[in-house]
Amino acid sequence: MSDIQSSRISENVCIDTKRIYDSCVSRDCCENLRVTFNDAAQSLIDNAVTVKPRDCDISAVSIDVDEVPFNRGYYSVNINFYFRLRFDTYTAPCAMPQVAVGYANFEKRCILFGAEGNVKTFTSTAGSRRSDCPEAPKYTNPTAKVQAVDPVILDTDVVEVCHCHHRCCTTFPDSIRQNFDNSRFPQNPQKAVLVTLGLFSIIQLSRDVQIMIPAIDFCIPENECNCSTQSPCESFQNIDFPVDEFFPPESGDILPGPAE
């Protein structure tokens, strides 16, 4: 902290916030995940001569935190990623592709330090006032937080079902199942799609704590809100012309990527 900032400190204040006790960076290669389709999408896969991946995104994540036996203060974070994938299916060379949407999941587990805490926290909320009783959490385990970017599709393979030893269906949560448009899962699929995904994530364990911090002043916004009512054409005229979109940079202007 600089001398100028320290001279402006008016008082020390106590805040209630979350402290990160442990975290880790994860780089996972999720190999040969079987994609689950509904009846209509599976029919496109079965009748296709070529299947190409289009994109993949994280549709949902479920997280469980459990104590590690005989290792006080450590917790097992069990994470289940659910991916939504889209494939372009071709019934003939040069034919217009039809899009098949499917879902896959990947489970991972890591051990992190989350400290010990047996305190039950009671808070006053709108719900507790209605019931005239304070609400308490079900357990005092630390809170797990997972940050992840949409995975990269590294490989796609279409195999006959008789050659596929992966389970045919995954138990998806309701938030995923409703995306299947209330259609049933195929009973006798002919082909299975296996994908390999590259996934980057950060996992954290945190707890509610009270911390003393130096306070300088209140956070009063200094910028005025832009409430411009000019016409759309006037707004468009204020946008810089996208020169780089029309003239790609030279090879010397491109920053080198990270070393392999």
Side-chain angles (χ1 to χ4, degrees), residues 8-248:
R8 293 177 55 192
I9 295 176
S10 58
E11 61 177 330
N12 290 327
V13 297
C14 183
I15 64 171
D16 190 354
T17 186
K18 286 188 177 294
R19 174 188 169 184
I20 299 175
Y21 278 87
D22 201 0
S23 62
C24 63
V25 176
S26 181
R27 180 201 302 259
D28 294 294
C29 183
C30 317
E31 293 186 87
N32 294 329
L33 303 180
R34 180 162 181 179
V35 183
T36 300
F37 300 95
N38 62 9
D39 257 346
Q42 183 64 51
S43 178
L44 294 176
I45 297 296
D46 291 341
N47 296 321
V49 295
T50 304
V51 176
K52 295 182 179 180
R54 175 179 289 193
D55 53 35
C56 175
D57 58 70
I58 300 174
S59 185
V61 179
S62 64
I63 309 170
D64 286 326
V65 179
D66 299 312
E67 294 185 25
V68 177
F70 311 111
N71 203 348
R72 297 177 59 181
Y74 284 85
Y75 296 82
S76 168
V77 183
N78 306 295
I79 309 166
N80 204 331
F81 293 92
Y82 296 95
F83 306 112
R84 174 181 177 269
L85 301 105
R86 294 193 301 169
F87 300 89
D88 289 330
T89 62
Y90 299 83
T91 56
C94 301
M96 290 295 295
Q98 292 182 283
V99 179
V101 179
Y103 291 84
N105 79 303
F106 171 69
E107 300 178 16
K108 73 177 280 92
R109 178 174 177 266
C110 62
I111 306 295
L112 293 175
F113 178 75
E116 293 183 289
N118 296 317
V119 176
K120 293 183 178 179
T121 304
F122 298 84
T123 59
S124 59
T125 63
S128 64
R129 285 195 293 270
R130 285 195 300 268
S131 61
D132 195 28
C133 182
E135 296 180 351
K138 295 180 180 179
Y139 48 80
T140 58
N141 284 351
T143 301
K145 179 180 179 181
V146 177
Q147 303 175 68
V149 295
D150 288 334
V152 180
I153 302 177
L154 303 176
D155 188 33
T156 302
D157 194 14
V158 180
V159 299
E160 298 294 331
V161 171
C162 60
H163 298 151
C164 178
H165 303 290
H166 298 261
R167 56 184 178 180
C168 63
C169 294
T170 299
T171 303
F172 292 103
D174 290 339
S175 60
I176 301 296
R177 295 183 65 90
Q178 65 185 9
N179 295 327
F180 284 91
D181 301 325
N182 296 322
S183 60
R184 59 189 179 88
F185 293 107
Q187 299 300 315
N188 298 303
Q190 300 175 18
K191 298 179 182 179
V193 177
L194 306 179
V195 295
T196 298
L197 306 177
L199 178 65
F200 295 95
S201 60
I202 297 177
I203 301 101
Q204 300 172 339
L205 276 187
S206 61
R207 284 187 182 275
D208 290 331
V209 295
Q210 291 75 44
I211 299 179
M212 186 75 70
I213 63 170
I216 297 176
D217 204 345
F218 290 104
C219 301
I220 302 176
E222 298 180 356
N223 298 328
E224 294 186 4
C225 296
N226 184 2
C227 301
S228 174
T229 57
Q230 61 184 351
S231 68
C233 289
E234 290 176 346
S235 300
F236 177 73
Q237 294 298 327
N238 293 329
I239 300 176
D240 293 334
F241 192 87
V243 178
D244 291 341
E245 299 296 329
F246 292 89
F247 302 96

